[in-house]
Amino acid sequence: MMRYEKYNNEYTDRIECPGTEKHYRLTRSLPILDGDDRSRKVTEKWCIMIEKFLPLLKPIQQMPVYANDLWVITFPKCGTTWTQEMVWLLNNDLDYARAAKLTLEERFPFLELSGALTLMDGDSVGRVQELPRPRHIKSHLPPMLLPEAIRTSKPKIIYVSRNPKDAATSFFHHYRNIVGYDGPMEHFFDAFLNDSLIYAPFGEHVRAYWEWSKRPDADNCLFLTYEQMKRDLRGVIGRVSSFLGKQYTASEVDELAKHLSVESMRNNNSCNMNDLLQWAKNTTYSEERKKHAKNNFQFIRSGTVGSYREDMNEEYVQRFEEYEKAITEGSDFDFYF
C-alpha cells in the first residue's frame, strides 16, 4: 500500500527552487516474514519526491519489465553518467560509432526525468516503455518505487554507491546549476543530512540496494561503488563484463578505460549533458543568474574522490562522518571498500 502527503520543514523550505518545488513524503507498507513461524508483519519504507512525480507513480509501478532490460540505478550524483556509458558500450560490443551518434539520454533514458524536475516537460516513462528491446534504463528511485514486475522479471540491475560527503557536494553543485538553487551550501548540506530533499533518505537508498544484492536469489543485481571505479576501473570493467555475459581483450578494456576518463567524458558531446545545461540556463535560473556573463559549470565536474574537501568545512565533515557511521552501523557495508 502506498500513501503520500505534503512534506515540508525548515530544511525543505530553504532548498525549494524552480526545479524542485512542493516536496512529498511517499510511504509504502511492505509485508515481511519473521522467524520460523513465518508470521506476517509489516514494515514501512519512505522516500521524498516532488509533486511533479506523483502522476508517474502508478505508471511506473505498473510498467512492464523484461528479463533482458538493463538498469543502472544510483542516488543522484554517484557516478550515474559514467556507469551508463560503460554499461551501454559493454552491452553493445563496444560500438563507439553508434554511441557517438546518439546521446546517452537517447541510448539510456532517465525513467522518472519528467517527474524529477518541476519544469521538465514530456513523458519520460512513456519514452522508456517504447524503447526497442533490450532496453537500457537509468533511475534514481529506491526499491520501494520501482515497477512491481522488476522482482519477478529479474532484469540485470547495476547499482552504484558513493561516499556521502562527495555525493552531497556533487549534488549541491547540481542543484545550483541544473535545479536552480541560489541558497547557501550549508542549507543544502543540512537538508541532505536531515533526509529532506528529493530521493532521500540517502542511507536507506544505499542500504536497500546493498541488502538486495546480498540476497541468495539476487544474482541479477551487481553493487558497485564510485570509489572502486576510481581505484580500479579496469577491474570494474571486468566485473561488469562478466555480469553481462561479455568478454573483451586486454587492449579493448584499455581502450574503453581511456574512453571513460573524466577528460574524455567531458569532451564527449553524447555524454556531457550540454543540452540539459542549456535547458537549465533557459528555464530554472533566476533572472539574476541569467545575467551572469560566464558560467563554467560542467555536468561531469571533478570526477574525483575527496572533492568535498574543496567545499566542506570541518564542522560539516564531522557531521557527515557521524551520518556515515549511522548508515553503516550493523551492516557489513562500507563506503570505502
Side-chain angles (χ1 to χ4, degrees):
M1 177 182 176
M2 187 82 68
R3 63 184 187 275
Y4 53 85
E5 59 187 348
K6 188 76 172 66
Y7 183 85
N8 64 284
N9 55 29
E10 62 179 301
Y11 308 110
T12 56
D13 289 347
R14 288 172 176 173
I15 64 165
E16 282 204 346
C17 52
T20 53
E21 294 180 327
K22 301 176 183 176
H23 291 73
Y24 277 74
R25 175 169 165 149
L26 285 69
T27 305
R28 186 174 186 186
S29 299
L30 297 169
I32 57 173
L33 297 174
D34 182 45
D36 294 336
D37 62 354
R38 312 295 282 179
S39 59
R40 187 168 291 278
K41 296 184 179 181
V42 173
T43 185
E44 288 196 341
K45 301 293 184 181
W46 61 273
C47 178
I48 302 299
M49 297 299 289
I50 59 173
E51 187 174 66
K52 188 80 183 297
F53 176 77
L54 300 182
L56 303 188
L57 181 58
K58 187 175 180 179
I60 289 176
Q61 296 275 286
Q62 297 180 350
M63 189 179 90
V65 177
Y66 306 104
N68 63 350
D69 285 345
L70 208 168
W71 293 64
V72 165
I73 304 176
T74 71
F75 193 87
K77 308 310 294 181
C78 290
T80 326
T81 302
W82 195 21
T83 308
Q84 286 176 270
E85 181 72 353
M86 172 181 65
V87 168
W88 191 91
L89 284 165
L90 288 173
N91 205 41
N92 285 275
D93 303 320
L94 303 179
D95 191 346
Y96 294 104
R98 186 174 169 218
K101 290 178 182 177
L102 300 171
T103 67
L104 192 57
E105 177 59 23
E106 291 173 306
R107 293 180 277 128
F108 217 131
F110 182 7
L111 176 64
E112 71 273 12
L113 175 60
S114 55
L117 283 167
T118 302
L119 301 174
M120 179 65 71
D121 296 325
D123 176 14
S124 57
V125 178
R127 183 178 176 189
V128 166
Q129 289 177 314
E130 294 171 359
L131 285 174
R133 294 166 60 186
R135 305 182 302 182
H136 295 74
I137 302 168
K138 162 190 168 180
S139 180
H140 296 312
L141 295 176
M144 62 168 276
L145 296 180
L146 292 177
E148 295 291 342
I150 206 167
R151 291 160 181 80
T152 52
S153 297
K154 296 189 69 174
K156 290 191 181 297
I157 297 170
I158 297 174
Y159 184 84
V160 186
S161 172
R162 190 179 191 182
N163 77 80
K165 292 191 285 291
D166 280 338
T169 301
S170 185
F171 206 11
F172 163 74
H173 287 285
H174 179 89
Y175 252 64
R176 287 277 297 168
N177 293 283
I178 302 296
V179 184
Y181 174 65
D182 283 330
M185 183 182 301
E186 290 77 12
H187 288 178
F188 183 84
F189 286 162
D190 289 341
F192 192 103
L193 289 165
N194 286 278
D195 297 325
S196 296
L197 44 66
I198 190 169
Y199 294 110
F202 174 84
E204 174 61 27
H205 202 289
V206 174
R207 283 191 59 152
Y209 282 102
W210 171 253
E211 291 166 3
W212 187 350
S213 73
K214 291 298 180 180
R215 294 201 315 245
D217 62 344
D219 56 348
N220 65 312
C221 184
L222 177 65
F223 191 103
L224 304 172
T225 72
Y226 188 92
E227 290 76 18
Q228 287 173 331
M229 293 173 68
K230 290 298 297 184
R231 184 174 65 242
D232 183 16
L233 180 58
R234 287 167 177 78
V236 170
I237 289 172
R239 287 181 62 193
V240 175
S241 298
S242 297
F243 180 68
L244 298 178
K246 302 286 186 176
Q247 189 170 2
Y248 295 101
T249 66
S251 61
E252 287 173 326
V253 170
D254 287 343
E255 182 183 13
L256 178 57
K258 183 178 180 180
H259 175 84
L260 294 172
S261 70
V262 173
E263 194 59 34
S264 175
M265 291 285 286
R266 282 200 193 113
N267 293 325
N268 185 340
N269 288 330
S270 74
C271 297
N272 58 24
M273 303 294 181
N274 280 341
D275 288 346
L276 180 61
L277 288 172
Q278 192 57 51
W279 172 87
K281 291 175 182 178
N282 296 332
T283 310
T284 63
Y285 280 23
S286 65
E287 291 304 315
E288 181 178 351
R289 180 90 69 88
K290 288 177 182 178
K291 295 175 184 176
H292 291 180
K294 191 174 183 180
N295 187 333
N296 293 323
F297 174 77
Q298 293 176 295
F299 190 87
I300 299 170
R301 201 175 57 88
S302 70
T304 61
V305 175
S307 63
Y308 70 89
R309 296 184 182 93
E310 299 173 10
D311 295 295
M312 193 176 290
N313 64 34
E314 187 57 35
E315 175 194 345
Y316 278 94
V317 169
Q318 292 178 6
R319 288 178 62 186
F320 268 91
E321 288 178 353
E322 290 300 316
Y323 183 75
E324 291 167 20
K325 289 179 184 177
I327 294 171
T328 57
E329 186 175 9
S331 170
D332 59 351
F333 173 74
D334 186 334
F335 282 106
Y336 300 95
F337 73 99

